[in-house]
Amino acid sequence: HLYRSALLRFADDGTALYEEDGLLATAPDDQGVQRVHAAGAWRALAPLYLPQASQPVTHWPGRIIAPGFVDMHVHYPQLDVIGSPAEGLLPWLENYTFPHESRFADAGYAAGVAGFFLDELQRNGVTTALTFATSHPGSVDALMAQAQARRLRLIAGKVLQDRHSPDGVRDATEQSLIDTEALIQRWHGKGRLGYAITPRFAPTSTPQQLSGAGALAARYPDVWVQSHVAENQQEIRWAQELFPGTRSYLDVYARVGLLRVRAVYAHCIHFDDEDRAAMRESGAVAAVCPTSNLFLGSGQFDFAGADRMGFGYGLASDVGGGTSFSPFHTMLAAYYVGREGQTKTGLSLAPQRLWWLHTAGAARALGLDGVVGNLQPGCEADFVVLNPAATPLLARRTAGAAHLDELLFAMIVLGDDRLIERTVIA
Ligand code: GUN
Ligand code: FE
């Protein structure tokens, strides 16, 4: 296919590349997945592609083609607990989240929510997500089957939680590991799907379950691992009581082999430099969830500390602790948090960096560099079509933007699902 429109993509160093009048050429690979063949200025590429085009050019005047967004951490079963008021993480889990997740024992219920969830991702321009299901294996099947039908690149896993969890969500140690391995074999690498070994967080797993998860992580090195760490002070104290003799909360995961490449830890707020170094050395990465951290009052991710110690991270919604599926809302919240943590003047998180952290940067953190999150040649062609005139104020503010950073920032600050005119899946 050939598309003509303004075009946003990223260089390897994270710099945004922008064409006012761009051309995106895609072609299917052996699996029938559309991949980017070329992306650049219309003037340069049209003479090469037009003569051999078999279909008319799709022209979207006044629109911007941009990479689909990558959400590094979200809970599909939690869309019905968004905005539940509670005094912090642990009461929120106990009073809202666990009771709600118990409903996913019903496969029909899970399928209904899974469909709604995938629609919502698409409406918001999110084309790849790393998502928690619930502890019920059928909750994974419900989501994966629908993601496969939509040909989405999606990664998900069954939650492991064999203690300190109520009836209805608590699983059984040995069976939970058997179920996890069966789900890996059923879904990992099927089309564009991936599996993630998913211990909920250290306090709700026995040491046996965590060790079993670590053993699976070693046996299946290209499967992802996802969990939560160092989100909330009360949670950290609890983890330290339950795992005496560990250096830190993160160390609980390190000791069982759950810190590795393709391990994604949500939050990573209350870290010291030894934790940050352990992330860097192991290749594990952080999913930064600013709307969730602000909503639950958990604390704030230290962007400067992460950069100083050099571990990888990207942005995530963490719905339903997070308050929005919209990548624009998440980027804006990240900006507030990054700004707050900064003592000197200047923009810690410039607009291009925010956007990169939710697209190509997030893809890189997931080990999907050059696969999704960008529109460079070879990437799978998952993209959004932005309408910068979607609302009167957006139209006015983006028309008045003097350069690319102003344009991107106007969309980050004023944008929501209305800015996403369409989402195209490769
Ligand atoms: N820690 C353990 N479970 C959860 C969860 O569902 N959401 C968040 N934000 N933190 C958690
Ligand atoms: Fe979470």
Side-chain angles (χ1 to χ4, degrees):
H1 297 289
L2 297 177
Y3 304 94
R4 181 178 189 179
S5 148
L7 181 62
L8 176 71
R9 64 203 198 282
F10 292 92
D12 275 350
D13 67 359
T15 315
L17 304 171
Y18 187 73
E19 307 291 342
E20 290 272 357
D21 184 14
L23 184 147
L24 178 70
T26 70
D29 66 15
D30 318 341
Q31 322 297 320
V33 175
Q34 291 286 331
R35 286 180 186 267
V36 177
H37 198 264
W42 171 264
R43 204 154 31 97
L45 293 175
L48 304 175
Y49 282 87
L50 284 191
Q52 41 176 319
S54 54
Q55 286 171 313
V57 177
T58 304
H59 190 192
W60 286 310
R63 306 297 190 268
I64 304 167
I65 290 178
F69 291 98
V70 176
D71 189 339
M72 288 184 67
H73 177 85
V74 57
H75 299 251
Y76 99 78
Q78 291 181 11
L79 58 87
D80 286 305
V81 297
I82 293 175
S84 298
E87 285 179 49
L89 172 67
L90 300 179
W92 178 83
L93 286 173
E94 188 180 321
N95 296 325
Y96 294 100
T97 306
F98 290 161
H100 184 69
E101 288 192 10
S102 70
R103 300 182 66 173
F104 288 72
D106 175 348
Y109 182 78
V113 177
F116 191 100
F117 171 79
L118 295 175
D119 286 347
E120 199 63 18
L121 290 186
Q122 213 151 322
R123 265 174 15 79
N124 283 283
V126 176
T127 50
T128 285
L130 172 57
T131 173
F132 276 51
T134 64
S135 57
H136 316 94
S139 71
V140 175
D141 295 324
L143 182 68
M144 292 292 210
Q146 293 185 61
Q148 188 172 45
R150 297 173 190 226
R151 300 158 55 81
L152 286 173
R153 185 168 279 286
L154 189 97
I155 309 162
K158 171 205 134 47
V159 174
L160 298 164
Q161 52 181 124
D162 66 348
R163 68 166 164 174
H164 300 137
S165 307
D167 291 349
V169 294
R170 193 176 59 258
D171 59 11
T173 314
E174 206 173 323
Q175 190 60 42
S176 71
L177 299 167
I178 293 169
D179 289 341
T180 294
E181 187 160 21
L183 288 166
I184 291 171
Q185 284 165 2
R186 191 172 313 147
W187 295 113
H188 186 73
K190 289 288 150 61
R192 304 180 75 200
L193 302 176
Y195 191 82
I197 298 164
T198 308
R200 177 163 217 121
F201 64 157
T204 52
S205 283
T206 58
Q208 294 73 21
Q209 192 178 46
L210 289 179
S211 302
L216 285 171
R219 285 232 303 288
Y220 296 95
D222 64 333
V223 162
W224 281 266
V225 170
Q226 59 177 346
S227 192
H228 298 90
V229 73
E231 178 176 5
N232 162 292
Q233 299 288 5
Q234 210 185 348
E235 170 215 20
I236 292 170
R237 279 195 298 276
W238 193 22
Q240 269 160 359
E241 276 163 36
L242 291 169
F243 296 91
T246 49
R247 198 201 69 80
S248 68
Y249 185 173
L250 186 70
D251 190 38
V252 175
Y253 299 120
R255 286 176 181 224
V256 293
L258 288 170
L259 269 202
R260 66 151 167 71
V261 169
R262 290 202 170 196
V264 180
Y265 285 89
H267 309 300
C268 303
I269 294 171
H270 308 284
F271 267 5
D272 61 19
D273 276 352
E274 272 193 63
D275 293 323
R276 296 187 180 99
M279 293 289 286
R280 179 190 64 218
E281 295 309 317
S282 65
V285 297
V288 179
C289 310
T291 73
S292 170
N293 300 156
L294 292 166
F295 181 75
L296 291 172
S298 303
Q300 302 189 349
F301 184 75
D302 181 351
F303 288 94
D307 291 343
R308 175 167 45 77
M309 297 301 289
F311 69 87
Y313 60 88
L315 295 180
S317 69
D318 194 28
V319 158
T323 52
S324 173
F325 278 97
S326 176
F328 302 108
H329 291 181
T330 301
M331 291 187 285
L332 181 57
Y335 176 73
Y336 291 147
V337 167
R339 173 131 219 168
E340 184 72 10
Q342 220 191 10
T343 48
K344 300 211 182 76
T345 50
L347 296 184
S348 56
L349 289 168
Q352 294 187 23
R353 177 149 179 87
L354 288 167
W355 207 294
W356 181 81
L357 284 171
H358 222 340
T359 53
R364 180 174 297 175
L366 289 177
L368 294 174
D369 203 13
V371 180
V372 291
N374 208 346
L375 293 171
Q376 296 288 43
C379 289
E380 297 171 351
D382 287 340
F383 63 88
V384 292
V385 181
L386 305 172
N387 176 6
T391 71
L393 186 56
L394 261 172
R396 189 177 169 104
R397 189 64 192 92
T398 55
H403 51 75
L404 178 60
D405 281 336
E406 287 190 10
L407 174 67
L408 296 181
F409 218 1
M411 291 192 284
I412 289 170
V413 172
L414 298 172
D416 56 30
D417 52 307
R418 291 170 294 181
L419 182 48
I420 307 290
E421 187 167 85
R422 79 177 68 214
T423 300
V424 178
I425 300 301

